[in-house]
Amino acid sequence: MLLTTVTTKLEAGVDLKTIFIRLMERLASYANYSEQPDFSINIFELFKKSINTFLEEDRGDIDLKKFLDLEVAFLNFTLNCYSEKVEYVSEIITSWVKLCSKQPPNNFTPECQECIVKFLTLPLKTMSLAILRMEDYPKLMKYLPYVQRKRVAN
């Protein structure tokens, strides 16, 4: 709740998505150097709620690249801090499929495609083939051209 309270008091021009990305990157880095990070609250739920709020607020004028960057950071954070919670990864993938399915094809710029490639390859490193059993994982491949799909497969 503290995070939500603090962010509502910031000035209008502050880019909260970038702040959240950096915070998640730092927490993921901390988790890499700590044997078992001990968070007294469920930070995953806190970030998830904030990201959903961002999506609701930006509904009409979404910057897809910024949201994809945010979700990549969220996935990386989750894989590092909650590696045993496969359902969390599944939730993030499902939210990506929903977000991408609402976008017109011309929104998937080469930069957005790079984010999708990164998003699809991150869990392969830690979850191995278990990620391929998730129902929504292969659905993201359709937003990539053949060359990018081939990169994910390698």
Side-chain angles (χ1 to χ4, degrees), residues 58-74:
D58 286 0
R59 190 162 288 188
D61 189 25
I62 187 171
D63 178 355
L64 184 60
K65 169 73 168 76
K66 186 59 95 174
F67 273 107
L68 296 181
D69 286 339
L70 181 64
E71 291 281 358
V72 166
F74 188 36

Side-chain angles (χ1 to χ4, degrees), residues 24 27-32 34-48 73-92 123 126-127 134:
M24 285 186 276
L27 287 169
S29 179
Y30 166 75
N32 276 334
S34 168
E35 284 192 28
Q36 184 65 29
D38 183 27
F39 299 120
S40 58
I41 59 171
N42 187 330
I43 300 173
F44 173 85
E45 290 297 330
L46 186 78
F47 280 134
K48 180 181 164 195
F74 188 36
L75 178 63
N76 186 49
F77 161 78
T78 302
L79 290 169
N80 283 288
C81 298
Y82 296 98
S83 57
E84 75 287 350
K85 298 280 193 174
V86 176
E87 65 273 15
Y88 286 179
V89 174
S90 182
E91 284 182 48
I92 296 170
T126 57
M127 297 179 69
M134 291 186 182

Side-chain angles (χ1 to χ4, degrees), residues 104-141:
N106 63 333
N107 272 12
F108 294 97
T109 63
E111 294 83 15
C112 289
Q113 292 171 14
E114 273 303 312
C115 285
I116 295 171
V117 168
K118 188 172 183 178
F119 183 87
L120 289 169
T121 56
L122 270 173
L124 288 173
K125 296 172 187 172
T126 57
M127 297 179 69
S128 191
L129 296 177
I131 191 70
L132 299 175
R133 289 191 290 269
M134 291 186 182
E135 182 181 334
D136 286 326
Y137 181 82
K139 293 178 183 177
L140 291 170
M141 295 288 267

